[in-house]
Amino acid sequence: MIANATWTHEQQFEAKSESGHTITFDVAKEAGPTPMEAVLMALCGCTAIDVLSILNKKREGHTSLHVHATAEKAPESPSVFTHIRLVYKVSGNVNRKSVEDAVHLSKTKYCSVSAMLEKAARIEFVIEYADDVAATRDYGA
């Protein structure tokens, strides 16, 4: 895998992946995410892809999946993530055990971004079902 970042102006960089996709990084957050925001976004995307793929294979009747992340960072440089809370919001006619299994498999087997971040941060997983807010489940770190 290959990537690069080129300074464009002020505190903005254009990053390009080997596949030709680009992201503008901006420390001022005006033209794009900061690199750390992009890492958190990548975690959401990675685990969402896993969970959706697993639910599709199980032929679950999901109508939406939203993954939200909040992160705490170390106070001193390098200010790595120390704690991340992922909330999976699922709606549709889904078997809750299937959703729990999909999130667990993403965490323990498939999501490489999660596996890397867990070397520095505690990652907490929570599942919320749109049809029953009272059914929110916390799957801890």
Side-chain angles (χ1 to χ4, degrees):
M1 189 175 288
I2 300 170
N4 64 62
T6 303
W7 174 64
T8 57
H9 65 285
E10 296 179 11
Q11 291 186 310
Q12 293 180 12
F13 294 81
E14 183 170 294
K16 188 172 185 178
S17 68
E18 182 176 20
S19 61
H21 297 282
T22 61
I23 298 174
T24 298
F25 291 117
D26 187 355
V27 175
K29 301 180 187 178
E30 295 172 3
T34 67
M36 289 298 282
E37 287 174 325
V39 169
L40 200 57
M41 292 164 56
L43 173 61
C44 290
C46 183
T47 190
I49 289 166
D50 293 341
V51 170
L52 188 66
S53 175
I54 293 165
L55 292 177
N56 284 340
K57 287 177 185 171
K58 291 182 176 222
R59 297 190 173 139
E60 289 294 334
H62 56 282
T63 56
S64 71
L65 172 65
H66 176 82
V67 180
H68 174 84
T70 54
E72 296 173 13
K73 292 170 62 177
E76 296 180 15
S77 291
S79 54
V80 299
F81 293 134
T82 56
H83 178 252
I84 300 169
R85 184 172 197 260
L86 286 173
V87 178
Y88 298 78
K89 293 184 181 180
V90 183
S91 63
N93 184 22
V94 293
N95 178 294
R96 292 175 185 211
K97 175 82 166 93
S98 292
V99 175
E100 293 167 14
D101 290 348
V103 169
H104 178 75
L105 284 168
S106 177
K107 173 184 171 45
T108 61
K109 187 172 182 180
Y110 295 115
C111 183
S112 53
V113 177
S114 176
M116 284 191 298
L117 289 173
E118 281 188 310
K119 305 250 186 246
R122 183 172 64 88
I123 302 179
E124 171 187 7
F125 296 78
V126 176
I127 300 172
E128 295 179 355
Y129 299 95
D131 61 335
D132 185 5
V133 176
T136 297
R137 301 280 309 269
D138 186 339
Y139 295 93

